Amino acid sequence: MASLPEIVEVEHGSGAYPIVIQDGLLTRIGGWLEPYLALRRVFVVSDEQVWASLGERLASALLQAKIGLVPLIVEAGEQSKSWEALIDLAQSLIQLGLERSDTILAFGGGVVGDLAGFAASIVKRGCSLVQVPTSLLAQVDSSVGGKTGINVEQGKNLIGTFHQPAAVFIDPELLETLPERQLRAGYAEIVKYGLIGDLGFFAWCEGCGPALIAGHPGLRSEAIAASARAKAKIVARDERETSGERALLNFGHSFGHALEAETGFGDTLLHGEAVAVGMCLALRYSAALGHCDLADAQRVEKHLASVGLPTTIAELGIATSGERLAEHMRHDKKAAAGKLSLILSRGIGSAFVDLNSDLQAVAAFLDREIGRDSKRHAALR
Ligand SMILES: NC(=O)c1ccc[n+]([C@@H]2O[C@H](COP(=O)([O-])OP(=O)(O)OC[C@H]3O[C@@H](n4cnc5c(N)ncnc54)[C@H](O)[C@@H]3O)[C@@H](O)[C@H]2O)c1
Ligand SMILES: [Zn+2]
């Protein structure tokens, strides 16, 4: 018998939508979708890898529910978040007869969600979007909150819209085909919710994280639901990132993005891996400034390392400098009016926004980090 679905409501400026989490949900997706479809069909946007792994399962569930399926499959990977891919997708949707009352179903990781969401917000001046996220990162983060976007030469996610989905349907069993490295990377975003505002949840992660990674299905659903609740709460209070509250979700991300920029935003360093190191850097920097205890930073490092995530710059094997990394941070979209805005911590579960971080001090801290790491590694050799 199927487990009961967990339903988290996300409230936003113009309404609310449910996040439904249930093992095996994909087989019953037709029934879940019905109330959201004006026309008895869906335009499914997916990527080649997800479609090869899970496409048949979605197609047969829709066939069973007599819901028509129009598939649009993009290349897997970050390169699909581009102007070219967006134009291609938008024009294909129109050529295939999409009406304004149609629904686009994003079936994939964060790349597909961001691209399909963007297309849904502009084609025919906006049509309905349903998210069925298939990566752990998308299930706990990117499918919720309504941010869509693509990357341009000048940086990641610089062009985009806010377009809230009509519903998000999460089947944790879809993670069975997700590569383990991607799973670990997504897990970093789960830990992030504990570090931002919930010490109890972080302690839960310490106890359950390794079993969750190893494949315990109940634990995965529990962590996904807790993450959805945490994100829903923040998004409800600050839908468009105006009060600073939503910015807390960027904990570890300014440092992380700088590391990703150094490695070219690709497979060398996955987003979640960069965030894992970034969160440790944010905690160690907070400790260096006297905002929190170094013991908190060490506790987080220990947990992330226990699930196989990196915690230091040296582990990433990139040759860089504090100045270079700080320069990337300055260019990051979170740097406003010449000041570096950073999410720091007063301890596990107490992140806060510091709008006036000193760029030079951050660069000097990063130099010490790089130096400390290389000394430690030299000692190990
Ligand atoms: N909109 C937001 O609020 C938000 C938040 C966080 C991240 N993002 C964006 O999300 C993107 C990263 O998302 P991601 O980590 O999911 O990357 P992704 O979409 O590239 O997925 C990672 C890889 O896993 C594969 N995959 C996904 N699900 C699978 C499954 N079940 N089985 C087999 N393979 C599967 C994909 O084909 C891809 O190769 C970034 O572009 C980031 O900017 C957006
Ligand atoms: Zn992230």
Side-chain angles (χ1 to χ4, degrees), residues 266-342:
D267 283 351
T268 317
L269 179 63
L270 298 180
H271 174 71
E273 295 166 343
V275 167
V277 177
M279 293 192 299
C280 292
L281 290 170
L283 280 158
R284 291 199 287 269
Y285 187 51
S286 301
L289 295 176
H291 293 304
C292 77
D293 289 340
L294 191 59
D296 278 340
Q298 287 163 341
R299 184 173 164 191
V300 174
E301 279 165 36
K302 191 171 162 210
H303 174 55
L304 293 174
S306 79
V307 295
L309 281 164
T311 62
T312 64
I313 298 172
E315 278 169 80
L316 309 178
I318 47 175
T320 184
S321 70
E323 203 182 332
R324 277 183 67 97
L325 291 173
E327 192 51 24
H328 288 304
M329 291 168 82
R330 195 172 67 78
H331 278 128
D332 200 46
K333 65 179 186 300
K334 279 127 218 150
K339 296 280 185 189
L340 185 61
S341 151
L342 258 190

Side-chain angles (χ1 to χ4, degrees), residues 137 141 189 192 253 271 275:
L137 182 135
D141 190 355
E189 303 276 7
K192 181 185 77 177
H253 281 58
H271 174 71
V275 167

Side-chain angles (χ1 to χ4, degrees), residues 86-359:
L86 178 70
I87 293 169
D88 220 39
L89 176 60
Q91 293 188 170
S92 302
L93 285 164
I94 294 165
Q95 264 160 16
L96 290 165
L98 179 114
E99 312 259 345
R100 204 167 168 214
S101 48
D102 266 309
T103 296
I104 293 179
L105 190 153
F107 188 56
V111 164
V112 161
D114 281 7
L115 177 71
F118 199 171
S121 72
I122 55 172
V123 174
K124 302 267 169 132
R125 296 206 172 82
C127 59
S128 177
L129 170 73
V130 168
Q131 296 263 13
V132 181
T134 63
S135 71
L136 184 57
L137 182 135
Q139 295 189 344
V140 301
D141 190 355
S142 61
S143 65
V144 177
K147 279 189 182 176
T148 82
I150 57 166
N151 310 322
V152 286
E153 220 180 275
Q154 291 79 3
K156 256 192 73 146
N157 298 325
L158 291 181
I159 309 282
T161 57
F162 282 97
H163 189 66
Q164 298 292 347
V168 182
F169 297 113
I170 300 180
D171 181 351
E173 283 179 5
L174 303 186
L175 300 175
E176 279 158 22
T177 56
L178 184 72
E180 193 172 313
R181 188 177 166 211
Q182 295 285 353
L183 190 79
R184 286 178 208 283
Y187 179 74
E189 303 276 7
I190 293 180
V191 173
K192 181 185 77 177
Y193 294 111
L195 301 183
I196 293 172
D198 193 342
L199 173 60
F201 181 58
F202 177 73
W204 182 90
C205 289
E206 287 180 304
C208 300
L212 183 160
I213 297 283
H216 192 299
L219 294 179
R220 287 183 181 177
S221 306
E222 218 175 312
I224 292 164
S227 303
R229 279 193 296 270
K231 185 152 183 188
K233 215 154 90 189
I234 293 180
V235 168
R237 288 200 292 250
D238 183 16
E239 187 185 352
R240 293 192 170 227
E241 207 165 319
T242 41
S243 74
E245 177 134 11
R246 189 162 177 168
L248 292 177
L249 292 169
N250 293 324
F251 185 66
H253 281 58
S254 290
F255 288 112
H257 282 162
L259 296 167
E260 283 183 279
E262 280 291 90
T263 49
F265 292 101
D267 283 351
T268 317
L269 179 63
L270 298 180
H271 174 71
E273 295 166 343
V275 167
V277 177
M279 293 192 299
C280 292
L281 290 170
L283 280 158
R284 291 199 287 269
Y285 187 51
S286 301
L289 295 176
H291 293 304
C292 77
D293 289 340
L294 191 59
D296 278 340
Q298 287 163 341
R299 184 173 164 191
V300 174
E301 279 165 36
K302 191 171 162 210
H303 174 55
L304 293 174
S306 79
V307 295
L309 281 164
T311 62
T312 64
I313 298 172
E315 278 169 80
L316 309 178
I318 47 175
T320 184
S321 70
E323 203 182 332
R324 277 183 67 97
L325 291 173
E327 192 51 24
H328 288 304
M329 291 168 82
R330 195 172 67 78
H331 278 128
D332 200 46
K333 65 179 186 300
K334 279 127 218 150
K339 296 280 185 189
L340 185 61
S341 151
L342 258 190
I343 320 300
L344 299 177
S345 172
R346 296 198 174 88
I348 297 170
S350 298
F352 68 99
V353 183
D354 176 12
L355 294 173
N356 291 308
S357 275
D358 183 89
L359 202 62

